[in-house]
Amino acid sequence: KPKAIIIGAGIAGIASAIRLSVKGYDVDVFEANSKPGGKLGEIKMNGFRFDAGPSLFTMPQYVDELFKLAGKNPEDYFKYTKLKEICRYFYEDGLRLNATADLDKFARDIEEKTHSTAAEVQRYLKKSDTIYEVTHRVFLERSLHKLKSYLHWDTLKSILRFGQIDAFRTQAKANRSFFKDERTAQLFNRYATYNGSDPYQAPATLNVIPHFEYHFGAFIPKDGMYGIVNALVKLAEELGIRFHYSQKVEEILYSSVGKPKIEGVKVNDKTHKADIVISNLDIWFTYKNLLKGITEPKKLLTQERSSSALIFYWGMDSNYSDLGLHNIFFAEDYQKEFNAIWKDKTVSSDPTVYINISAKYIRADAPANAENWFVMINVPANSGQNWDHLIKEARANIIKKISRILNRNIEKDIVCEQILDPRSIEGKTGSYQGALYGNSSNNQFSAFLRHANFSSKVKNLYFCGGSVHPGGGIPLALLSAKIIDDDISSVVQ
Ligand code: FAD
């Protein structure tokens, strides 16, 4: 059997391992941490369970597909529920909006409570559908770096429709033209943060993101987000894939006679041979630490990083009926918040606060009459800021803001706490500067400035995960594994 080695057991690494195993490879996965999942991790503390990273699950079909590929019934491994209520939005002026899966209801809620109309919402969502239709095959599902991608008739058709993807104005500008009420525009501007970008700089093409939530739906895995990792690792182990935890890869080995060709990896000074190597770690660290003697693609590696996050995991000794699974408490001045992040590289004094409470659905995630709060704000990637000071300030500002809007002192309910910041995100998951999604998408060319899923310098070396094409977030990380899979089939046959 040909042999494949995967470096990193992040979601894309696990997906790549399953795909190659199904293809007939003998697969080993080396993971630096003692557990799989990478950013998709889990924290347990004082009877509370928290998903450490991602909390919003979209495009579950990409996970199901992996079980089907292996000839299994996804439901035997992995169950999830479609959310009827997607997110509760809270504004400083007292406005509360509910984004529901029933789009007519959502549009009516906006019409009743703001100066925007239901028709504006419908027009906007239609535009979002169109952008998806035009972009998904070209920018998401295929390599942007292979000629054969451009030879498909549907790719060519999409390219002819590029005028419709709204690439030449910013998302914030476009949304101000869609909605009379600034607060509605703010709600949809927020989607730029789903890939760590700034709606005041990023192209309006990012208005494709709501399509994932409102068209395909938002979901919650029955066993929490970490349930995705557990289910996929179970499948992988059944397929015979070997996971080696706490085994940090030190070097990618290749032959330097003629055109460089992959030979294997070095772990703890020991050589492990392989026909194919797929690196799931941040492309920046892949070049800096693992690929000796290979010239770095400087332009790609020096792109602006996506934003990072500051997260407080709070065990709360109470129930909050005002809150749902996903909750957003908006900044009063959204542009000021993004200027703080992107221009001043600091944390706004009035940040938008996201609170996820998985215990609303998964009772076992918190003790009785208690809730597990994942409280997150967007912050810049780490460039040496005084994080200890910023965290102290942000914590106080967040507590004041939530207490003010809910009209209730939340601080007295916090019974235990852990904190994750850009420094620890880099330390725990190997993401350069703690960026959540690799590079930002703050300009029209970002999609073209992500690294390809293959190496043009070393034969049979591939790259998957959120820092390479097609980008960050679970669905796109899973697609990176699929794109590699498509490429390898043609290499091996
Ligand atoms: P990563 O998770 O980056 O994992 C890489 C793995 O490689 C790690 O396990 C690391 O330990 C390992 N590694 C590194 N170096 C080595 C080495 N030398 N040898 C061996 N192993 C190594 N996405 C969503 O879809 N929805 C969300 O709601 C969402 N929210 C997020 C919130 C937070 C706080 C964070 C951090 C991320 C969020 N994301 C979200 C993004 C999502 O988590 C990532 O895009 C995705 O999990 C990235 O997966 P990956 O395959 O790139 O691997």
Side-chain angles (χ1 to χ4, degrees), residues 19-78:
R19 286 178 176 278
L20 287 204
S21 172
V22 168
K23 209 153 236 163
Y25 280 81
D26 184 33
V27 184
D28 283 275
V29 181
F30 290 93
E31 165 54 54
N33 286 336
S34 59
K35 278 166 57 173
K39 295 188 188 71
L40 184 42
E42 157 178 86
I43 292 173
K44 289 183 178 160
M45 141 174 85
N46 300 25
F48 294 87
R49 192 200 71 88
F50 300 85
D51 284 307
S55 52
L56 176 70
F57 184 38
T58 53
M59 307 300 271
Q61 60 269 41
Y62 294 158
V63 177
D64 286 347
E65 189 182 337
L66 296 167
F67 297 102
K68 290 184 193 158
L69 262 182
K72 309 280 185 185
N73 177 4
E75 282 200 36
D76 293 342
Y77 293 79
F78 179 55

Short mmCIF file of all heavy atoms in Angstrom, two decimals, residues 19-78:
data_model
loop_
_atom_site.label_atom_id
_atom_site.label_comp_id
_atom_site.label_asym_id
_atom_site.label_seq_id
_atom_site.Cartn_x
_atom_site.Cartn_y
_atom_site.Cartn_z
N ARG A 19 -10.03 10.56 3.77
CA ARG A 19 -10.12 10.51 2.30
C ARG A 19 -9.00 9.64 1.70
O ARG A 19 -9.23 8.86 0.79
CB ARG A 19 -10.09 11.92 1.72
CG ARG A 19 -11.40 12.67 1.93
CD ARG A 19 -11.36 14.08 1.40
NE ARG A 19 -12.65 14.72 1.55
CZ ARG A 19 -13.69 14.57 0.72
NH1 ARG A 19 -13.56 13.82 -0.35
NH2 ARG A 19 -14.83 15.18 0.94
N LEU A 20 -7.78 9.80 2.23
CA LEU A 20 -6.68 9.01 1.66
C LEU A 20 -6.78 7.54 2.03
O LEU A 20 -6.43 6.66 1.24
CB LEU A 20 -5.33 9.58 2.11
CG LEU A 20 -4.93 10.89 1.45
CD1 LEU A 20 -3.43 11.09 1.46
CD2 LEU A 20 -5.41 10.99 0.01
N SER A 21 -7.30 7.28 3.22
CA SER A 21 -7.47 5.88 3.62
C SER A 21 -8.48 5.22 2.69
O SER A 21 -8.26 4.10 2.21
CB SER A 21 -7.93 5.84 5.07
OG SER A 21 -8.27 4.54 5.42
N VAL A 22 -9.59 5.93 2.42
CA VAL A 22 -10.61 5.38 1.52
C VAL A 22 -10.00 5.14 0.13
O VAL A 22 -10.33 4.19 -0.57
CB VAL A 22 -11.83 6.34 1.44
CG1 VAL A 22 -12.76 5.96 0.31
CG2 VAL A 22 -12.56 6.37 2.77
N LYS A 23 -9.07 5.97 -0.22
CA LYS A 23 -8.41 5.85 -1.52
C LYS A 23 -7.40 4.70 -1.58
O LYS A 23 -6.82 4.42 -2.62
CB LYS A 23 -7.68 7.17 -1.77
CG LYS A 23 -7.56 7.51 -3.18
CD LYS A 23 -7.46 8.97 -3.41
CE LYS A 23 -8.59 9.31 -4.35
NZ LYS A 23 -8.88 10.69 -4.38
N GLY A 24 -7.15 4.08 -0.43
CA GLY A 24 -6.26 2.93 -0.43
C GLY A 24 -4.90 3.18 0.19
O GLY A 24 -4.03 2.32 0.16
N TYR A 25 -4.69 4.35 0.75
CA TYR A 25 -3.40 4.64 1.39
C TYR A 25 -3.36 4.10 2.82
O TYR A 25 -4.39 3.99 3.49
CB TYR A 25 -3.18 6.16 1.45
CG TYR A 25 -2.69 6.74 0.16
CD1 TYR A 25 -3.59 7.02 -0.88
CD2 TYR A 25 -1.35 7.01 -0.05
CE1 TYR A 25 -3.16 7.54 -2.08
CE2 TYR A 25 -0.91 7.54 -1.25
CZ TYR A 25 -1.82 7.80 -2.26
OH TYR A 25 -1.38 8.32 -3.44
N ASP A 26 -2.16 3.80 3.25
CA ASP A 26 -1.91 3.46 4.64
C ASP A 26 -1.57 4.79 5.33
O ASP A 26 -0.62 5.45 4.93
CB ASP A 26 -0.71 2.50 4.67
CG ASP A 26 -0.44 1.99 6.06
OD1 ASP A 26 -1.40 1.83 6.83
OD2 ASP A 26 0.75 1.77 6.37
N VAL A 27 -2.38 5.20 6.33
CA VAL A 27 -2.27 6.58 6.80
C VAL A 27 -1.84 6.68 8.27
O VAL A 27 -2.41 6.03 9.15
CB VAL A 27 -3.62 7.32 6.63
CG1 VAL A 27 -3.47 8.80 7.02
CG2 VAL A 27 -4.15 7.20 5.20
N ASP A 28 -0.87 7.55 8.52
CA ASP A 28 -0.48 7.91 9.89
C ASP A 28 -0.69 9.41 10.07
O ASP A 28 -0.38 10.19 9.17
CB ASP A 28 1.01 7.64 10.12
CG ASP A 28 1.29 6.17 10.33
OD1 ASP A 28 1.15 5.71 11.48
OD2 ASP A 28 1.60 5.48 9.33
N VAL A 29 -1.22 9.78 11.25
CA VAL A 29 -1.41 11.21 11.55
C VAL A 29 -0.54 11.55 12.76
O VAL A 29 -0.64 10.89 13.80
CB VAL A 29 -2.89 11.51 11.90
CG1 VAL A 29 -3.09 13.00 12.19
CG2 VAL A 29 -3.83 11.04 10.79
N PHE A 30 0.32 12.54 12.60
CA PHE A 30 1.14 13.00 13.73
C PHE A 30 0.57 14.32 14.25
O PHE A 30 0.41 15.26 13.48
CB PHE A 30 2.61 13.20 13.31
CG PHE A 30 3.29 11.89 13.04
CD1 PHE A 30 3.32 11.37 11.74
CD2 PHE A 30 3.86 11.17 14.07
CE1 PHE A 30 3.94 10.15 11.48
CE2 PHE A 30 4.49 9.95 13.82
CZ PHE A 30 4.53 9.44 12.53
N GLU A 31 0.25 14.37 15.53
CA GLU A 31 -0.37 15.56 16.12
C GLU A 31 0.47 16.02 17.31
O GLU A 31 0.79 15.23 18.20
CB GLU A 31 -1.82 15.22 16.54
CG GLU A 31 -2.49 16.22 17.48
CD GLU A 31 -2.50 17.66 16.98
OE1 GLU A 31 -2.95 17.91 15.84
OE2 GLU A 31 -2.04 18.55 17.73
N ALA A 32 0.78 17.32 17.32
CA ALA A 32 1.63 17.87 18.40
C ALA A 32 0.92 17.82 19.76
O ALA A 32 1.56 17.59 20.79
CB ALA A 32 2.01 19.31 18.06
N ASN A 33 -0.39 18.03 19.77
CA ASN A 33 -1.13 18.03 21.05
C ASN A 33 -1.44 16.61 21.51
O ASN A 33 -1.33 15.65 20.74
CB ASN A 33 -2.46 18.78 20.89
CG ASN A 33 -2.25 20.28 20.80
OD1 ASN A 33 -1.25 20.80 21.28
ND2 ASN A 33 -3.19 20.96 20.18
N SER A 34 -1.92 16.52 22.75
CA SER A 34 -2.26 15.19 23.27
C SER A 34 -3.65 14.74 22.80
O SER A 34 -4.06 13.62 23.08
CB SER A 34 -2.19 15.21 24.80
OG SER A 34 -3.08 16.19 25.29
N LYS A 35 -4.38 15.64 22.13
CA LYS A 35 -5.74 15.32 21.66
C LYS A 35 -5.94 15.82 20.23
O LYS A 35 -5.28 16.78 19.83
CB LYS A 35 -6.77 16.01 22.55
CG LYS A 35 -7.06 15.25 23.84
CD LYS A 35 -7.80 16.07 24.85
CE LYS A 35 -9.11 16.63 24.38
NZ LYS A 35 -9.86 17.28 25.45
N PRO A 36 -6.89 15.23 19.49
CA PRO A 36 -7.15 15.75 18.14
C PRO A 36 -8.05 16.98 18.18
O PRO A 36 -8.62 17.29 19.22
CB PRO A 36 -7.90 14.58 17.49
CG PRO A 36 -8.59 13.90 18.62
CD PRO A 36 -7.70 14.06 19.82
N GLY A 37 -8.20 17.66 17.04
CA GLY A 37 -9.18 18.75 16.92
C GLY A 37 -8.59 20.11 16.63
O GLY A 37 -9.22 20.93 15.98
N GLY A 38 -7.37 20.39 17.13
CA GLY A 38 -6.78 21.71 16.91
C GLY A 38 -7.68 22.80 17.46
O GLY A 38 -8.09 22.76 18.63
N LYS A 39 -8.03 23.76 16.61
CA LYS A 39 -8.88 24.88 17.07
C LYS A 39 -10.24 24.37 17.52
O LYS A 39 -10.90 24.99 18.35
CB LYS A 39 -9.06 25.89 15.94
CG LYS A 39 -7.76 26.57 15.55
CD LYS A 39 -8.01 27.70 14.58
CE LYS A 39 -6.72 28.27 14.02
NZ LYS A 39 -6.05 27.35 13.07
N LEU A 40 -10.65 23.28 16.93
CA LEU A 40 -11.94 22.68 17.30
C LEU A 40 -11.69 21.81 18.53
O LEU A 40 -11.68 20.58 18.47
CB LEU A 40 -12.42 21.86 16.10
CG LEU A 40 -13.76 21.16 16.06
CD1 LEU A 40 -14.86 22.01 16.63
CD2 LEU A 40 -14.09 20.80 14.63
N GLY A 41 -11.48 22.48 19.66
CA GLY A 41 -11.11 21.78 20.89
C GLY A 41 -12.23 21.81 21.92
O GLY A 41 -13.35 22.26 21.63
N GLU A 42 -11.90 21.38 23.11
CA GLU A 42 -12.93 21.28 24.17
C GLU A 42 -12.28 21.55 25.52
O GLU A 42 -11.12 21.21 25.73
CB GLU A 42 -13.53 19.88 24.07
CG GLU A 42 -14.18 19.35 25.28
CD GLU A 42 -14.79 17.97 25.04
OE1 GLU A 42 -14.05 16.97 25.17
OE2 GLU A 42 -15.99 17.88 24.77
N ILE A 43 -13.04 22.18 26.41
CA ILE A 43 -12.52 22.48 27.75
C ILE A 43 -13.53 21.94 28.76
O ILE A 43 -14.74 22.14 28.60
CB ILE A 43 -12.39 24.01 27.94
CG1 ILE A 43 -11.30 24.58 27.05
CG2 ILE A 43 -12.16 24.37 29.41
CD1 ILE A 43 -11.21 26.10 27.06
N LYS A 44 -13.02 21.29 29.81
CA LYS A 44 -13.91 20.84 30.89
C LYS A 44 -13.44 21.49 32.17
O LYS A 44 -12.24 21.53 32.45
CB LYS A 44 -13.88 19.33 31.01
CG LYS A 44 -14.59 18.65 29.84
CD LYS A 44 -14.63 17.16 29.99
CE LYS A 44 -15.40 16.57 28.81
NZ LYS A 44 -15.13 15.18 28.58
N MET A 45 -14.39 22.02 32.94
CA MET A 45 -14.00 22.72 34.19
C MET A 45 -15.18 22.73 35.15
O MET A 45 -16.30 23.09 34.76
CB MET A 45 -13.53 24.12 33.77
CG MET A 45 -13.89 25.27 34.60
SD MET A 45 -13.10 26.81 34.06
CE MET A 45 -14.21 27.40 32.82
N ASN A 46 -14.96 22.29 36.35
CA ASN A 46 -15.96 22.34 37.44
C ASN A 46 -17.36 21.87 37.04
O ASN A 46 -18.36 22.54 37.34
CB ASN A 46 -16.10 23.78 37.98
CG ASN A 46 -14.81 24.32 38.53
OD1 ASN A 46 -13.74 23.88 38.14
ND2 ASN A 46 -14.90 25.26 39.44
N GLY A 47 -17.45 20.79 36.30
CA GLY A 47 -18.77 20.27 35.91
C GLY A 47 -19.34 20.93 34.66
O GLY A 47 -20.44 20.59 34.22
N PHE A 48 -18.61 21.88 34.08
CA PHE A 48 -19.05 22.53 32.83
C PHE A 48 -18.21 21.98 31.67
O PHE A 48 -17.03 21.66 31.85
CB PHE A 48 -18.82 24.03 32.88
CG PHE A 48 -19.65 24.76 33.90
CD1 PHE A 48 -19.21 24.90 35.22
CD2 PHE A 48 -20.87 25.31 33.56
CE1 PHE A 48 -19.97 25.58 36.17
CE2 PHE A 48 -21.65 26.00 34.49
CZ PHE A 48 -21.20 26.13 35.80
N ARG A 49 -18.83 21.86 30.49
CA ARG A 49 -18.09 21.52 29.28
C ARG A 49 -18.25 22.66 28.28
O ARG A 49 -19.35 23.19 28.11
CB ARG A 49 -18.65 20.22 28.66
CG ARG A 49 -17.75 19.63 27.56
CD ARG A 49 -18.50 18.68 26.64
NE ARG A 49 -19.43 19.42 25.79
CZ ARG A 49 -19.09 19.95 24.60
NH1 ARG A 49 -17.89 19.78 24.11
NH2 ARG A 49 -19.98 20.64 23.91
N PHE A 50 -17.17 23.04 27.65
CA PHE A 50 -17.20 24.13 26.66
C PHE A 50 -16.58 23.65 25.36
O PHE A 50 -15.56 22.95 25.39
CB PHE A 50 -16.36 25.32 27.11
CG PHE A 50 -16.80 25.95 28.40
CD1 PHE A 50 -16.36 25.43 29.62
CD2 PHE A 50 -17.64 27.05 28.42
CE1 PHE A 50 -16.75 26.00 30.81
CE2 PHE A 50 -18.03 27.64 29.61
CZ PHE A 50 -17.60 27.10 30.82
N ASP A 51 -17.15 24.05 24.23
CA ASP A 51 -16.41 23.92 22.98
C ASP A 51 -15.45 25.09 22.96
O ASP A 51 -15.86 26.25 23.13
CB ASP A 51 -17.37 23.95 21.79
CG ASP A 51 -18.10 22.61 21.69
OD1 ASP A 51 -17.41 21.59 21.66
OD2 ASP A 51 -19.34 22.60 21.68
N ALA A 52 -14.16 24.80 22.77
CA ALA A 52 -13.16 25.85 22.95
C ALA A 52 -13.09 26.83 21.79
O ALA A 52 -12.81 28.00 21.97
CB ALA A 52 -11.78 25.21 23.15
N GLY A 53 -13.36 26.35 20.58
CA GLY A 53 -13.22 27.21 19.39
C GLY A 53 -14.54 27.43 18.70
O GLY A 53 -15.41 28.15 19.20
N PRO A 54 -14.73 26.78 17.54
CA PRO A 54 -15.96 27.02 16.77
C PRO A 54 -17.20 26.66 17.57
O PRO A 54 -17.20 25.70 18.34
CB PRO A 54 -15.83 26.05 15.59
CG PRO A 54 -14.43 25.63 15.55
CD PRO A 54 -13.84 25.83 16.89
N SER A 55 -18.25 27.45 17.37
CA SER A 55 -19.52 27.18 18.05
C SER A 55 -20.67 27.13 17.06
O SER A 55 -21.74 26.65 17.38
CB SER A 55 -19.77 28.25 19.10
OG SER A 55 -19.65 29.52 18.51
N LEU A 56 -20.46 27.68 15.87
CA LEU A 56 -21.52 27.68 14.87
C LEU A 56 -21.22 26.60 13.83
O LEU A 56 -20.15 26.60 13.23
CB LEU A 56 -21.61 29.04 14.17
CG LEU A 56 -22.63 29.08 13.04
CD1 LEU A 56 -24.06 29.02 13.59
CD2 LEU A 56 -22.46 30.33 12.19
N PHE A 57 -22.18 25.71 13.63
CA PHE A 57 -21.97 24.59 12.71
C PHE A 57 -22.85 24.78 11.48
O PHE A 57 -24.06 24.82 11.59
CB PHE A 57 -22.33 23.29 13.44
CG PHE A 57 -22.08 22.03 12.65
CD1 PHE A 57 -20.97 21.90 11.82
CD2 PHE A 57 -22.96 20.96 12.76
CE1 PHE A 57 -20.74 20.74 11.11
CE2 PHE A 57 -22.73 19.79 12.04
CZ PHE A 57 -21.62 19.68 11.22
N THR A 58 -22.18 24.94 10.33
CA THR A 58 -22.92 25.04 9.07
C THR A 58 -22.38 23.96 8.12
O THR A 58 -21.31 23.41 8.35
CB THR A 58 -22.74 26.43 8.41
OG1 THR A 58 -21.35 26.70 8.30
CG2 THR A 58 -23.42 27.52 9.22
N MET A 59 -23.12 23.71 7.07
CA MET A 59 -22.74 22.74 6.03
C MET A 59 -22.40 21.35 6.59
O MET A 59 -21.32 20.78 6.31
CB MET A 59 -21.57 23.28 5.19
CG MET A 59 -21.80 24.66 4.60
SD MET A 59 -23.22 24.76 3.50
CE MET A 59 -22.48 24.36 1.94
N PRO A 60 -23.30 20.77 7.41
CA PRO A 60 -23.00 19.44 7.97
C PRO A 60 -22.83 18.38 6.90
O PRO A 60 -22.22 17.33 7.14
CB PRO A 60 -24.23 19.14 8.84
CG PRO A 60 -25.32 20.00 8.31
CD PRO A 60 -24.65 21.23 7.77
N GLN A 61 -23.35 18.66 5.69
CA GLN A 61 -23.23 17.67 4.61
C GLN A 61 -21.78 17.35 4.29
O GLN A 61 -21.46 16.27 3.82
CB GLN A 61 -23.99 18.13 3.35
CG GLN A 61 -23.57 19.43 2.72
CD GLN A 61 -24.33 20.64 3.26
OE1 GLN A 61 -24.57 20.74 4.46
NE2 GLN A 61 -24.71 21.56 2.39
N TYR A 62 -20.87 18.34 4.56
CA TYR A 62 -19.45 18.07 4.29
C TYR A 62 -18.87 17.05 5.28
O TYR A 62 -17.88 16.39 4.99
CB TYR A 62 -18.62 19.36 4.35
CG TYR A 62 -18.94 20.38 3.27
CD1 TYR A 62 -18.63 21.72 3.45
CD2 TYR A 62 -19.53 20.01 2.07
CE1 TYR A 62 -18.91 22.67 2.47
CE2 TYR A 62 -19.81 20.95 1.09
CZ TYR A 62 -19.50 22.27 1.29
OH TYR A 62 -19.77 23.20 0.32
N VAL A 63 -19.46 17.00 6.48
CA VAL A 63 -19.02 15.99 7.45
C VAL A 63 -19.65 14.64 7.08
O VAL A 63 -18.97 13.61 6.99
CB VAL A 63 -19.41 16.40 8.90
CG1 VAL A 63 -19.02 15.30 9.89
CG2 VAL A 63 -18.76 17.72 9.28
N ASP A 64 -20.96 14.68 6.82
CA ASP A 64 -21.67 13.44 6.44
C ASP A 64 -20.98 12.74 5.28
O ASP A 64 -20.87 11.51 5.23
CB ASP A 64 -23.11 13.77 6.02
CG ASP A 64 -23.99 14.12 7.21
OD1 ASP A 64 -23.55 13.88 8.35
OD2 ASP A 64 -25.09 14.64 7.00
N GLU A 65 -20.52 13.56 4.33
CA GLU A 65 -19.91 13.03 3.11
C GLU A 65 -18.75 12.08 3.44
O GLU A 65 -18.52 11.09 2.74
CB GLU A 65 -19.40 14.23 2.31
CG GLU A 65 -18.91 13.92 0.93
CD GLU A 65 -18.38 15.18 0.24
OE1 GLU A 65 -18.75 16.33 0.61
OE2 GLU A 65 -17.56 15.01 -0.68
N LEU A 66 -18.03 12.37 4.52
CA LEU A 66 -16.86 11.55 4.87
C LEU A 66 -17.29 10.15 5.29
O LEU A 66 -16.64 9.16 4.96
CB LEU A 66 -16.05 12.23 5.97
CG LEU A 66 -15.43 13.57 5.53
CD1 LEU A 66 -14.92 14.36 6.73
CD2 LEU A 66 -14.29 13.34 4.54
N PHE A 67 -18.40 10.06 6.03
CA PHE A 67 -18.91 8.74 6.44
C PHE A 67 -19.39 7.97 5.21
O PHE A 67 -19.14 6.79 5.07
CB PHE A 67 -20.04 8.89 7.46
CG PHE A 67 -19.57 9.52 8.74
CD1 PHE A 67 -19.82 10.86 9.01
CD2 PHE A 67 -18.82 8.79 9.65
CE1 PHE A 67 -19.36 11.45 10.17
CE2 PHE A 67 -18.35 9.37 10.83
CZ PHE A 67 -18.62 10.70 11.08
N LYS A 68 -20.10 8.70 4.34
CA LYS A 68 -20.62 8.04 3.13
C LYS A 68 -19.49 7.52 2.26
O LYS A 68 -19.56 6.42 1.73
CB LYS A 68 -21.50 9.03 2.34
CG LYS A 68 -22.82 9.33 3.04
CD LYS A 68 -23.68 10.22 2.19
CE LYS A 68 -24.83 10.78 3.00
NZ LYS A 68 -25.38 12.01 2.43
N LEU A 69 -18.44 8.34 2.13
CA LEU A 69 -17.28 7.91 1.33
C LEU A 69 -16.72 6.58 1.83
O LEU A 69 -16.27 5.75 1.05
CB LEU A 69 -16.15 8.94 1.49
CG LEU A 69 -15.95 10.00 0.43
CD1 LEU A 69 -14.75 10.86 0.82
CD2 LEU A 69 -15.73 9.38 -0.94
N ALA A 70 -16.77 6.43 3.17
CA ALA A 70 -16.22 5.20 3.77
C ALA A 70 -17.27 4.09 3.79
O ALA A 70 -17.05 3.05 4.42
CB ALA A 70 -15.73 5.51 5.18
N GLY A 71 -18.40 4.33 3.14
CA GLY A 71 -19.44 3.30 3.05
C GLY A 71 -20.24 3.15 4.34
O GLY A 71 -20.82 2.10 4.61
N LYS A 72 -20.26 4.19 5.17
CA LYS A 72 -20.98 4.11 6.45
C LYS A 72 -22.19 5.03 6.43
O LYS A 72 -22.25 6.00 5.67
CB LYS A 72 -20.07 4.56 7.61
CG LYS A 72 -18.74 3.88 7.65
CD LYS A 72 -18.85 2.51 8.28
CE LYS A 72 -17.47 1.89 8.43
NZ LYS A 72 -17.50 0.55 8.91
N ASN A 73 -23.11 4.75 7.37
CA ASN A 73 -24.26 5.62 7.53
C ASN A 73 -23.89 6.73 8.52
O ASN A 73 -23.62 6.44 9.69
CB ASN A 73 -25.43 4.77 8.06
CG ASN A 73 -26.65 5.63 8.33
OD1 ASN A 73 -26.65 6.83 8.05
ND2 ASN A 73 -27.68 5.00 8.87
N PRO A 74 -23.87 7.99 8.09
CA PRO A 74 -23.44 9.07 8.98
C PRO A 74 -24.17 9.06 10.32
O PRO A 74 -23.57 9.31 11.37
CB PRO A 74 -23.79 10.35 8.20
CG PRO A 74 -23.93 9.94 6.78
CD PRO A 74 -24.27 8.48 6.75
N GLU A 75 -25.45 8.74 10.27
CA GLU A 75 -26.25 8.80 11.51
C GLU A 75 -25.80 7.79 12.58
O GLU A 75 -26.10 7.95 13.75
CB GLU A 75 -27.71 8.55 11.20
CG GLU A 75 -28.36 9.79 10.62
CD GLU A 75 -29.86 9.73 10.74
OE1 GLU A 75 -30.36 9.20 11.75
OE2 GLU A 75 -30.52 10.18 9.80
N ASP A 76 -25.09 6.75 12.15
CA ASP A 76 -24.59 5.80 13.14
C ASP A 76 -23.43 6.40 13.95
O ASP A 76 -23.03 5.85 14.97
CB ASP A 76 -24.09 4.51 12.45
CG ASP A 76 -25.23 3.75 11.82
OD1 ASP A 76 -26.39 4.01 12.20
OD2 ASP A 76 -24.97 2.90 10.93
N TYR A 77 -22.89 7.52 13.45
CA TYR A 77 -21.73 8.11 14.11
C TYR A 77 -22.00 9.50 14.66
O TYR A 77 -21.42 9.93 15.65
CB TYR A 77 -20.57 8.25 13.10
CG TYR A 77 -20.00 6.95 12.64
CD1 TYR A 77 -20.65 6.18 11.68
CD2 TYR A 77 -18.81 6.47 13.18
CE1 TYR A 77 -20.11 4.98 11.25
CE2 TYR A 77 -18.27 5.27 12.76
CZ TYR A 77 -18.93 4.53 11.79
OH TYR A 77 -18.39 3.34 11.38
N PHE A 78 -22.86 10.25 13.94
CA PHE A 78 -22.88 11.69 14.17
C PHE A 78 -24.29 12.23 13.96
O PHE A 78 -24.84 12.10 12.86
CB PHE A 78 -21.89 12.33 13.17
CG PHE A 78 -21.80 13.82 13.25
CD1 PHE A 78 -21.50 14.44 14.46
CD2 PHE A 78 -22.01 14.60 12.13
CE1 PHE A 78 -21.40 15.81 14.53
CE2 PHE A 78 -21.91 15.98 12.19
CZ PHE A 78 -21.60 16.58 13.40
#
